[in-house]
C-alpha cells in the first residue's frame, strides 16, 4: 500500500481562522495527502518564535487529525507535534498559514506564521509560511488565490523535491486582489517602522495601551539583484522568498575584533 504524503499544518490566527480552514480545504483536494492540523487555541499574531516554558500545554481534539493547543504558540504546536503525533517519522512537509495579513521584510521576525515554518526547518522538515495581504475592512477575506498557489507549490514539492537546502523555508505572500497573478522569486525588503500606540482609560482613570498597526512601507535592499517581496506584491504578483536561518556574524567579526583591539 502506498504511503500518503503527510503534511503538518499550523498557524498563528487560531484554530478557527478562515485562512487555516481554507488551507485545509485546498490540501485535501490533492491526491494521496494526509493532513494533520495542530493550531493555537487562541490568536497568537506577532508572538515570534516563542516557546511556552512556564506552564503546561494541553492538546484538545477538534476533529479527525485536528487539534488545538491550549494557549500554545505556533512553535509550541510544531515542537510538541513532533514529540507526540509524529513520534516514528517526521511529516513530509510543514505549512504555516494561511495568515490574515502580510509577512514581508523584517515583519517575519515578529510573525508567528513565519515562526511555525522556522520551527519546522530547525527539525529538518521542508516548510512553507504563507500569508494573504488583506483589506482589513473585509472581515472574511478572499483566500482563493492563496489556495490555488499553495496547491501548485505542494504538487511541485510532492512530485519532485523541496527547492531549498537545510534551514531555509519558503515565505509566500499573496496579493490582496484575488485574481490571476504570476509567481515571482523575491528577497525580503527593508521594512520601515514607527512607534504607534493608542492610549485608553478605564472608568477608574487607569491607562491602557494598544499597539498600533503600521502601514506597509518598504524599500529595496542595496546590493540585491531582483525585486523585493513588497515590490512583487505592489505589482499584484505572488511573492516567494527563500528565508535562511543564518545566525552567523562573519561579515562583522573582523570589524568587531579590530574594535576590541
Amino acid at each position: 500500500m502506498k504511503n500518503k504524503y503527510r503534511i503538518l499544518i499550523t498557524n498563528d490566527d487560531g484554530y478557527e481562522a478562515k485562512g487555516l480552514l481554507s488551507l485545509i480545504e485546498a490540501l485535501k483536494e490533492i491526491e494521496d495527502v494526509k493532513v494533520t492540523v495542530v493550531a493555537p487555541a487562541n490568536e497568537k499574531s506577532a508572538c515570534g518564535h516563542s516557546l511556552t516554558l512556564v506552564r503546561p500545554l494541553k492538546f484538545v481534539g477538534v476533529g479527525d487529525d485536528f487539534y488545538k493547543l491550549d494557549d500554545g504558540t505556533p512553535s509550541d504546536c510544531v515542537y510538541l507535534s513532533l514529540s507526540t503525533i509524529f513520534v516514528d517519522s517526521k511529516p513530509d512537509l510543514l505549512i504555516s498559514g494561511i495568515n490574515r495579513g502580510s509577512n514581508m521584510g523584517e515583519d517575519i521576525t515578529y510573525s508567528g506564521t513565519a515562526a511555525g515554518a522556522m520551527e519546522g526547518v530547525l527539525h529538518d522538515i521542508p516548510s512553507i509560511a504563507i500569508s494573504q495581504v488583506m483589506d482589513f475592512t473585509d472581515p472574511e477575506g478572499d483566500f482563493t488565490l492563496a489556495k490555488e498557489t499553495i496547491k501548485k507549490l505542494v504538487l511541485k514539492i510532492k512530485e519532485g523535491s523541496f527547492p531549498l537546502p537545510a534551514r531555509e523555508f519558503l515565505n509566500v505572500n499573496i496579493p490582496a486582489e484575488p485574481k490571476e497573478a504570476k509567481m515571482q522569486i523575491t528577497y525580503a525588503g527593508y521594512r520601515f517602522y514607527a512607534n504607534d500606540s493608542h492610549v485608553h482609560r478605564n472608568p477608574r482613570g487607569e491607562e491602557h495601551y494598544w499597539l498600533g498597526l503600521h502601514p506597509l512601507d518598504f524599500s529595496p535592499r542595496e546590493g540585491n539583484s531582483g525585486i523585493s517581496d513588497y515590490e512583487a506584491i505592489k505589482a499584484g504578483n505572488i511573492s516567494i522568498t527563500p528565508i535562511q536561518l543564518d545566525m552567523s556574524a562573519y561579515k562583522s567579526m573582523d570589524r568587531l575584533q579590530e574594535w576590541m583591539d
Side-chain angles (χ1 to χ4, degrees), residues 5 9 13 27 34 48 69 75 117 140 160 176 195 198 201:
Y5 190 82
I9 296 176
D13 289 329
L27 296 179
K34 176 179 171 56
L69 192 62
S75 298
E140 291 295 318
N195 294 102
H198 303 274
R201 290 176 175 82

Side-chain angles (χ1 to χ4, degrees), residues 18-37:
K18 183 179 177 182
L20 177 74
L21 302 179
S22 297
L23 176 59
I24 296 168
E25 290 175 4
L27 296 179
K28 287 190 174 180
E29 294 173 3
I30 302 176
E31 188 177 358
D32 295 325
V33 163
K34 176 179 171 56
V35 174
T36 301
V37 184

Side-chain angles (χ1 to χ4, degrees), residues 223-250:
N224 282 82
S225 59
I227 65 169
S228 70
D229 43 14
Y230 180 68
E231 289 173 303
I233 289 296
K234 190 175 181 180
N237 292 317
I238 299 161
S239 167
I240 301 178
T241 309
I243 301 295
Q244 181 178 9
L245 274 64
D246 186 356
M247 300 301 172
S248 66
Y250 301 133

Side-chain angles (χ1 to χ4, degrees), residues 128-184:
I128 301 172
I130 180 167
S131 304
Q132 169 75 60
V133 180
M134 302 292 294
D135 174 4
F136 284 97
T137 61
D138 180 357
E140 291 295 318
D142 190 332
F143 294 92
T144 304
L145 182 57
K147 291 169 67 176
E148 294 172 358
T149 301
I150 198 65
K151 282 172 64 177
K152 289 177 183 177
L153 291 174
V154 170
L155 281 169
K156 284 183 69 69
I157 295 168
K158 181 172 174 285
E159 294 168 1
S161 61
F162 193 65
L164 300 180
R167 292 183 179 246
E168 290 190 30
F169 68 92
L170 291 177
N171 186 45
V172 181
N173 280 277
I174 307 296
E177 292 297 323
K179 62 180 183 180
E180 285 292 324
K182 64 180 179 180
M183 297 185 187
Q184 292 189 289

Side-chain angles (χ1 to χ4, degrees), residues 10-13 40 43-52 71-78 96 99 103 106-120 122 169 245:
T10 192
N11 76 339
D12 73 355
D13 289 329
E43 182 174 349
K44 291 291 182 178
S45 294
C47 68
H49 194 186
S50 59
L51 290 172
T52 302
D71 207 30
T73 68
S75 298
D76 289 329
C77 292
V78 176
S96 184
N99 187 64
N103 279 303
E106 288 85 356
D107 276 358
I108 64 170
T109 63
Y110 293 106
S111 167
T113 303
M118 290 180 196
E119 190 66 27
L122 286 178
F169 68 92
L245 274 64

